[in-house]
Amino acid sequence: MADLLKDPMVLRQIIMDHYEYPRNHTLTQESGYAQKHMASESCIDDIYVQSKIEDGIVKDVRFDGVACTISTASTSIMSELVQGKSIAEAKEIIRNYFAMIDQKEYDGDLLEEAVAFANVGKQANRIKCATIGWKALEELIEESEGNDDEK
């Protein structure tokens, strides 16, 4: 699959699939979810990201709102990628994603379909779009760790 992920058409198909059919694209009223609102001043992106983190595991991530193609697709991929992962694993995935966006070394195997955004860092106006959902999750994880400290 690694070779396929170097093909620009395959990368475009991944992005379009997650834009047209976003995964985990509904919010819930179920208890146990934390929520973060994120909006961009430079794009239409105005989303809510929810996470359910229990016993050090990211049990669920969901999102909804108005968002561009890049934002919707990247948040959709992120929501699938981190579910069922430990907080430490999720943080490592997020760290690698931001490194990739910053055009630094990253582990493509860890990022799976998220490597479709490898070239976004070359387009400064798209960086916020590709990271808005990821930053929301990063903040939700940090908040969950703060809540664990208070217990």
Side-chain angles (χ1 to χ4, degrees):
M1 175 145 179
D3 287 339
L4 276 179
L5 293 177
K6 293 178 182 160
D7 181 339
M9 286 307 296
V10 170
L11 299 179
R12 186 176 186 288
Q13 287 171 343
I14 290 169
I15 291 170
M16 291 310 297
D17 179 54
H18 278 272
Y19 174 66
E20 292 172 2
Y21 308 102
R23 285 38 154 209
N24 307 302
H25 193 240
T26 56
L27 298 179
T28 182
Q29 298 301 317
E30 189 180 313
S31 68
Y33 281 80
Q35 180 170 287
K36 186 64 65 178
H37 176 239
M38 302 294 273
S40 173
E41 61 285 339
S42 59
C43 189
I44 65 167
D45 300 335
D46 188 348
I47 65 171
Y48 291 87
V49 177
Q50 293 179 325
S51 67
K52 185 173 192 171
I53 300 172
E54 291 178 336
D55 303 320
I57 303 293
V58 179
K59 301 276 187 180
D60 193 17
V61 176
R62 28 192 68 258
F63 73 104
D64 202 1
V66 176
C68 69
T69 302
I70 299 294
S71 179
T72 300
S74 69
T75 305
S76 172
I77 289 171
M78 178 267 301
S79 73
E80 285 195 317
L81 200 51
V82 299
Q83 283 193 34
K85 301 283 194 291
S86 70
I87 287 176
E89 290 169 318
K91 286 168 106 175
E92 186 63 10
I93 290 167
I94 293 167
R95 188 188 67 71
N96 273 272
Y97 184 78
F98 288 143
M100 177 187 72
I101 296 296
D102 291 340
Q103 303 291 294
K104 296 180 180 163
E105 269 192 55
Y106 65 93
D107 182 346
D109 291 337
L110 197 61
L111 295 180
E112 298 177 16
E113 286 184 322
V115 299
F117 300 97
N119 291 322
V120 165
K122 296 175 184 172
Q123 304 165 14
N125 61 326
R126 302 311 261 152
I127 291 172
K128 182 137 190 184
C129 303
T131 58
I132 195 166
W134 292 76
K135 287 183 178 177
L137 179 63
E138 183 176 50
E139 289 179 23
L140 287 164
I141 288 172
E142 286 172 10
E143 288 172 11
S144 81
E145 289 179 312
N147 292 341
D148 287 346
D149 293 344
E150 294 167 12
K151 289 180 183 174

